[in-house]
Amino acid sequence: MPLVEHLRELRNRMAKGLLAIAAVTVVALAYSEQLMVFLTKSVPKCGPGVTSDGGNCAIVSFNTLMAPFSTTIQLSLTAGLVVASPVWLYQLWAFVAPGLHKHEKKYTYAFVGAAVPLFAAGAYLAYLILPISVKVLISLTPEGSANILSLSDVLDFTLRMVLVFGLAFELPLVLVMLNLTGVLSGKRMARWWRGVIMGVFVFGAVITPTTDPVGMLALAGPITLLYLAAVGFSLLNDKRRQRNNPDAELDDDEASSLDLTPEAVGEVESVGSARALPEQATGESDGARSHRLNGYDDIT
């Protein structure tokens, strides 16, 4: 298609994705209170007649006049982006897919098919350990001090934890895709296992806000297992690639091995003699030759 047609198609697909996000956002506005209760469920709220003192409970509040409105809009838009993601991701895929080759489409289907459940598993794990993280953080409050938490801060903390855990679970999938495209070999990943596991545990200790090892182990443990599974898959894939193509793992500037063993000579084929021209068949000499072939003598 010409450039104008591509731009028109991009506009139409973007409009469809935005309409889906807007529709879900409107529905989320109607259920914004239920969404806030669901996302702040990890905070131990103070009941009626209970005063926040130390780390026993917390009071979730709005600190500014515009905070209820801005928090509701932010939460609804986030819900619209997440819930309507299948629609706008499909529109993006439908715009890009005609320019991809068949094997590129196959890799994309496999990547999306594995990325969605991995991200969902990471997000669900983050939601499970959120109550533990919040209780540990609140427990650090000294006696005589009250915990008055901003609802927007609580929502930001919850969404950040869900996003970090979900993206962390995508690391093994990225390694597998690098192996399938020939960028990274399984042997190289296996040699990195000490550094990778150490880095995963350090990342888990830094990214989780709790001081106890529960949050760190909850994040680093599954990622380590997924990394080992990615290494095992890559090693098997390298063996399969090696059987199909012995030179698959060679660098671009590395020469492949050549088989210089001489092959056996086959049976000699007999070659028949050329047919004689009419002048040669009659036995005429050059001087007695009376006619020629197409105006030329037999030598020509």
Side-chain angles (χ1 to χ4, degrees):
M1 292 189 298
L3 179 60
V4 177
E5 293 296 330
H6 280 293
L7 295 177
R8 185 177 292 112
E9 183 185 2
L10 178 62
R11 181 198 62 186
N12 295 336
R13 297 198 177 278
M14 289 179 62
K16 293 177 182 178
L18 292 176
L19 285 176
I21 294 174
V24 177
T25 301
V26 171
V27 176
L29 283 172
Y31 295 94
S32 59
E33 185 175 353
Q34 289 84 346
L35 288 174
M36 290 181 185
V37 173
F38 175 75
L39 292 177
T40 59
K41 193 176 180 180
S42 58
V43 179
K45 303 179 184 65
C46 298
V50 179
T51 303
S52 176
D53 185 12
N56 61 333
C57 62
I59 300 173
V60 180
S61 65
F62 293 103
N63 297 332
T64 62
L65 182 63
M66 293 295 295
F69 175 77
S70 60
T71 303
T72 302
I73 295 299
Q74 178 186 1
L75 179 60
S76 301
L77 282 175
T78 304
L81 284 171
V82 174
V83 178
S85 58
V87 178
W88 58 265
L89 285 175
Y90 169 77
Q91 297 299 327
L92 178 62
W93 167 254
F95 178 75
V96 176
L100 299 178
H101 296 289
K102 185 177 180 180
H103 66 281
E104 293 173 338
K105 292 181 180 180
K106 179 181 67 176
Y107 287 153
T108 305
Y109 287 139
F111 183 85
V112 173
V116 173
L118 284 176
F119 185 88
Y124 181 70
L125 180 61
Y127 189 77
L128 288 180
I129 70 170
L130 267 174
I132 303 175
S133 302
V134 173
K135 288 180 180 179
V136 171
L137 292 175
I138 290 179
S139 65
L140 301 177
T141 306
E143 295 294 334
S145 301
N147 288 298
I148 302 177
L149 307 179
S150 173
L151 182 60
S152 60
D153 292 340
V154 174
L155 295 177
D156 289 341
F157 176 76
T158 303
L159 294 177
R160 191 181 301 113
M161 287 287 292
V162 169
L163 184 63
V164 168
F165 271 66
L167 292 179
F169 271 55
E170 304 292 342
L171 173 63
L173 181 60
V174 174
L175 295 177
V176 169
M177 293 303 296
L178 291 176
N179 177 261
L180 290 176
T181 54
V183 177
L184 192 61
S185 64
K187 293 181 180 179
R188 184 174 301 177
M189 283 192 286
R191 289 197 298 266
W192 293 347
W193 72 271
R194 295 181 180 86
V196 170
I197 293 178
M198 183 64 184
V200 166
F201 275 87
V202 171
F203 173 77
V206 172
I207 206 64
T208 53
T210 60
T211 56
D212 63 302
V214 176
M216 179 187 68
L217 292 176
L219 177 62
I223 296 179
T224 302
L225 294 178
L226 290 174
Y227 167 76
L228 296 177
V231 171
F233 174 86
S234 301
L235 291 174
L236 294 177
N237 184 60
D238 290 344
K239 290 183 179 179
R240 179 193 60 82
R241 187 185 292 125
Q242 186 71 22
R243 288 195 301 268
N244 297 334
N245 183 12
D247 302 330
E249 296 184 0
L250 294 179
D251 295 332
D252 294 338
D253 55 351
E254 186 177 357
S256 59
S257 58
L258 299 178
D259 186 9
L260 303 179
T261 305
E263 297 181 357
V265 179
E267 184 180 356
V268 179
E269 298 180 0
S270 58
V271 179
S273 59
R275 293 184 301 172
L277 294 176
E279 292 84 351
Q280 296 173 335
T282 56
E284 297 177 352
S285 62
D286 293 340
R289 195 169 292 157
S290 61
H291 64 277
R292 297 183 179 185
L293 182 63
N294 294 330
Y296 299 95
D297 56 25
D298 59 341
I299 299 178
T300 305

